[in-house]
Amino acid sequence: MSELIIEQEVLKSVNPATGKEIKSYSLMTNEEASTAVKNCHEAFLKWKMKTPEERAEIIAAIGEKLSENKDELAKVMTEEMGKLVKHSKQEVDLCASICQWTAENGPNELKDEERELASGTRGIITYSPIGVIYGIQPWNFPAYQVIRYAIANLMAGNGVLLKHAESVTGSALMLEEIFKSAGLPDGLFKVLVIDHDQSDSIIENELVRGVTLTGSDKAGKVVAKKSAEQLKKTVLELGSNDAYLVLEDADLENAVKMCVRGRIYNNGETCVAAKRFVVVDKLYEDFKKAFVEQMKALKVGDPTVEETKIGPMARKDLRDKLHEQVQKSVEQGADVLCGGKIPEGEGFYYPATVLDNVTPGQPAYDDELFGPVASLIKADNDEDAMRIANDSRFGLGGGIFSKDVKKAVELAKHHFDTGMVFINGFGLAQPNMPFGGVKDSGYGREHGGFGMKEFVNAKAINIIQE
């Protein structure tokens, strides 16, 4: 996200490519925030009575409006957080596809289920919306993070509130306008321009029935505790340190290409990015040589220029933290094969960086490096590579490169302790596949029917006598 400064209840966002202010926003008063919750609840009471098919029509219209406004929304996202314009456009396309899939499949996913019960009785399982769902979302995918939880919950019949990362407030407000232009009832989706203290009050509000957060594991623990005190369900999509395994029978050329892409996509600021590259001894030196060569060749610069491969990091403090993690890893024995230095000039840029001799105890091994820094780790063999991959407190995603797809699938199914696994490539999200992790990467799932059913009441209706 762009740099954030709070002065007298005003938020100022800064373009990370230039370091210059974009716009300032006034925080809501406590009364305004409380009124927004009440309005959302009142809109929900009417929205829940609509059929899934009626809701689907609005969801489909939101997808169409996103496509119509793609260029403008992409421009705002790039200006606010520094991602390449082409990645911003890809993000909007993904959001539109989520709306389309949800509109087409939502009614079937949410339809009542009949059960034959004992002694001739009959049962009905119905998925009832529960109310207002509060989402706390980060800056790295300003549109997708919102669409991912909002569309599923609107389809389910819930109301949706959003506290977006402060520095992508422009993107958030534009999404709100897009939702309105598609015909979504007033108040049903509302952006809350509030601070952290006010956010705690929203969680405590009795009209809020569920909380979903995408962010760091530290933030997840705070929000989970606050929500648990109110006995409110949470879904947490947190950070990770995804390992990509290059096994002995891997296609080396494809593995290198995909691993580079997986590390630098979205300027490396992606929770499900490839971060640790665990390569068997047999291929390690060849992989390292080719990987470093390709990382060195990546052009860092203006995210609006087509030739640029890596834009600025979203904030100065994020870049400083990343550099500190690199330096600390080097102090503890890691070697810098390329990059690793903050460039001079304006903007919050950081070069494509590769670390070798990465071992347990170093930030590059233990923690999430949220930027274009790759950690190379040598494994003795395929079995050792899987051991290293699982040697992490995180468990969001991961990857396996092997010509034996059957073997890779078996490893993914039975041995990889993550919520997602990509085989022979790098991927982000699919509208019809579950998205989420285990361990310190959180719990709950988004996308597909999974996301629609996280915040519903699976209600059992037992008919004893017809």
Side-chain angles (χ1 to χ4, degrees), residues 346-360:
E346 65 180 17
F348 312 135
Y349 293 94
Y350 201 79
T353 300
V354 181
L355 300 179
D356 194 12
N357 292 325
V358 174
T359 58

Side-chain angles (χ1 to χ4, degrees), residues 203 210-211 222-234:
I203 293 174
V211 181
V222 172
V223 169
K225 180 179 179 181
K226 175 65 67 174
S227 301
E229 290 172 349
Q230 308 298 320
L231 291 179
K232 294 180 182 180
K233 182 180 178 180
T234 52

Side-chain angles (χ1 to χ4, degrees), residues 126-257:
T126 190
Y127 298 101
S128 300
I130 61 173
V132 176
I133 307 303
Y134 177 42
I136 304 170
Q137 301 301 316
W139 44 266
N140 58 332
F141 287 91
Y144 166 66
Q145 304 285 15
V146 178
I147 294 296
R148 187 169 69 190
Y149 87 96
I151 292 301
N153 279 292
L154 290 171
M155 184 67 242
N158 293 318
V160 176
L161 297 173
L162 166 65
K163 180 192 182 302
H164 217 328
E166 292 91 338
S167 55
V168 291
T169 300
S171 297
L173 294 174
M174 187 172 181
L175 285 171
E176 185 178 286
E177 289 302 314
I178 288 172
F179 279 37
K180 288 181 180 179
S181 69
L184 194 72
D186 287 345
L188 192 63
F189 173 83
K190 182 63 180 176
V191 175
L192 304 180
V193 183
I194 56 177
D195 62 22
H196 292 295
D197 291 338
Q198 291 173 305
S199 180
D200 287 345
S201 296
I202 299 299
I203 293 174
E204 294 169 356
N205 191 301
E206 64 180 2
L207 295 179
V208 171
R209 295 291 298 275
V211 181
T212 178
L213 171 136
T214 299
S216 68
D217 54 325
K218 181 180 179 181
K221 291 173 183 177
V222 172
V223 169
K225 180 179 179 181
K226 175 65 67 174
S227 301
E229 290 172 349
Q230 308 298 320
L231 291 179
K232 294 180 182 180
K233 182 180 178 180
T234 52
V235 167
L236 302 178
E237 196 282 282
L238 310 179
S240 194
N241 193 8
D242 289 5
Y244 273 58
L245 281 58
V246 182
L247 305 184
E248 291 186 1
D249 64 345
D251 178 332
L252 188 63
E253 182 179 354
N254 177 64
V256 171
K257 177 183 177 181

Side-chain angles (χ1 to χ4, degrees), residues 1-5 11-25 76-83 138-140 142 165-171 269 312-318 348:
M1 57 187 167
S2 45
E3 188 177 21
L4 172 67
I5 305 170
L11 307 176
K12 294 182 180 180
S13 58
V14 174
N15 187 327
T18 64
K20 297 179 180 178
E21 181 181 331
I22 301 171
K23 192 173 182 179
S24 62
Y25 302 89
V76 173
M77 290 194 293
T78 292
E79 184 178 36
E80 287 190 317
M81 63 75 56
K83 68 170 65 209
W139 44 266
N140 58 332
E166 292 91 338
S167 55
V168 291
T169 300
S171 297
E269 297 168 308
M313 293 191 63
R315 293 198 317 256
K316 181 179 183 298
D317 65 299
L318 295 172
F348 312 135

